[in-house]
Amino acid sequence: MSKQYSMKIYPAGRGRDVYRNIEICGNSTLNQLCGVILEAFDFIDEHLYEFCMDNRMYSKDTYQSDPKGDEPSADITLDEVGLCKGQKFALHYDFGDDWMFTITVSKINEVQKNFKPRIVKAKGSVQQYPDWDDE
């Protein structure tokens, strides 16, 4: 048996008009979750990131994509993190542009076998690099 996490992900402040609902296995890592989120929002994966477990930017309770010393690594499975239903945490992506994606664990189920992460619902869009000259 494995756990399946259902999550709602949205850029901070945009939860009503731009979001993705995904399902992902508990043996997936936070690094893999980041990849799924970036792909779901059509972002290019080229920056450092951290998962802020208290849902605050520049928190001390984080898992790093490129840990230094004894910092916790994002190469940890979702099951190992110990997520619970209703929990909110954040993906802080690109420390220059400071993208914050709020992640809410909406459901946790037991499943018979592992599966690839999937988007089950999508609404709206954001641009990673908006062309400010067009506005």
Side-chain angles (χ1 to χ4, degrees):
M1 295 288 270
S2 181
K3 288 185 181 174
Q4 169 188 302
Y5 294 88
S6 299
M7 302 177 175
K8 179 179 181 181
I9 299 123
Y10 57 90
R14 304 285 306 268
R16 293 180 187 253
D17 61 333
V18 179
Y19 62 86
R20 304 294 182 267
N21 290 349
I22 67 162
E23 294 176 343
I24 188 168
C25 276
N27 66 353
S28 298
T29 65
L30 288 173
N31 285 327
Q32 290 168 316
L33 175 60
C34 178
V36 170
I37 293 169
L38 295 179
E39 185 177 316
F41 286 96
D42 294 321
F43 275 40
I44 299 167
D45 185 359
E46 59 187 9
H47 297 284
L48 295 174
Y49 57 88
E50 64 186 355
F51 283 90
C52 306
M53 302 314 291
D54 59 3
N55 202 26
R56 290 189 294 202
M57 190 181 298
Y58 300 112
S59 162
K60 293 197 182 302
D61 185 12
T62 63
Y63 292 93
Q64 303 285 325
S65 63
D66 185 26
K68 304 288 188 241
D70 62 349
E71 293 175 333
S73 170
D75 192 28
I76 185 171
T77 68
L78 299 176
D79 285 342
E80 290 174 309
V81 170
L83 300 173
C84 57
K85 182 180 175 184
Q87 181 175 353
K88 280 190 178 188
F89 62 107
L91 168 61
H92 178 197
Y93 178 74
D94 184 351
F95 301 149
D97 286 342
D98 282 330
W99 280 98
M100 284 295 282
F101 292 92
T102 301
I103 304 161
T104 303
V105 180
S106 51
K107 195 183 325 177
I108 303 172
N109 291 324
E110 295 288 331
V111 292
Q112 293 296 330
K113 60 181 184 172
N114 295 331
F115 59 90
K116 289 184 178 181
R118 54 188 171 236
I119 300 169
V120 294
K121 187 173 182 182
K123 180 178 180 185
S125 65
V126 290
Q127 290 185 322
Q128 182 176 7
Y129 300 115
D131 187 359
W132 299 110
D133 294 336
D134 288 346
E135 295 183 6

